[in-house]
Amino acid sequence: MAQHSAHGAHDAHDNHEAHGSLKSYVIGFVLSLVLTAVSLIVVLNDVLTGTAAKVVIMIAAILQFVVQLFYFMHLKEEGKPRWNLMVLILGLIIVLTVVAGSIWIMTYNKVG
């Protein structure tokens, strides 16, 4: 009986290790800091202006989202990543619908 509980504790330890290592978390953290720094440098130092600045910030935001998914939310490490991806896509569709609808309402809801 004692061997069974010790073996179960070992399995739990293996499952914990599968969620990410210190190296993985450090890489994700450093990438997040770099992407945040890029956005801050572009905005605070007026390196780019107008559309170019917006494009760089949007690209940095998308890359930041991808880094968060893979390094911190472990999208690829699940047993069934396909289901996690489908839930993520559904969530993105809902968020984009709410944001686009809000922008549409704010733009065309003018009292004339």
Side-chain angles (χ1 to χ4, degrees), residues 16-71:
H16 180 352
E17 288 295 321
H19 283 268
S21 64
L22 180 62
K23 179 181 176 184
S24 171
Y25 288 124
V26 169
I27 290 171
F29 182 67
V30 169
L31 286 173
S32 294
L33 287 177
V34 168
L35 291 168
T36 302
V38 166
S39 298
L40 283 171
I41 290 169
V42 166
V43 171
L44 296 177
N45 294 331
D46 293 327
V47 175
L48 299 171
T49 58
T51 304
K54 291 176 187 175
V55 168
V56 168
I57 292 170
M58 286 299 293
I59 290 171
I62 292 168
L63 289 175
Q64 183 82 262
F65 179 69
V66 171
V67 166
Q68 297 291 323
L69 283 177
F70 287 107
Y71 286 99

Side-chain angles (χ1 to χ4, degrees), residues 65 69-70 75-76 78 80-93:
F65 179 69
L69 283 177
F70 287 107
L75 183 64
K76 286 283 214 178
E78 294 293 322
K80 299 265 184 181
R82 174 182 51 183
W83 292 109
N84 289 341
L85 184 61
M86 289 193 317
V87 169
L88 174 69
I89 290 171
L90 176 63
L92 287 174
I93 289 171

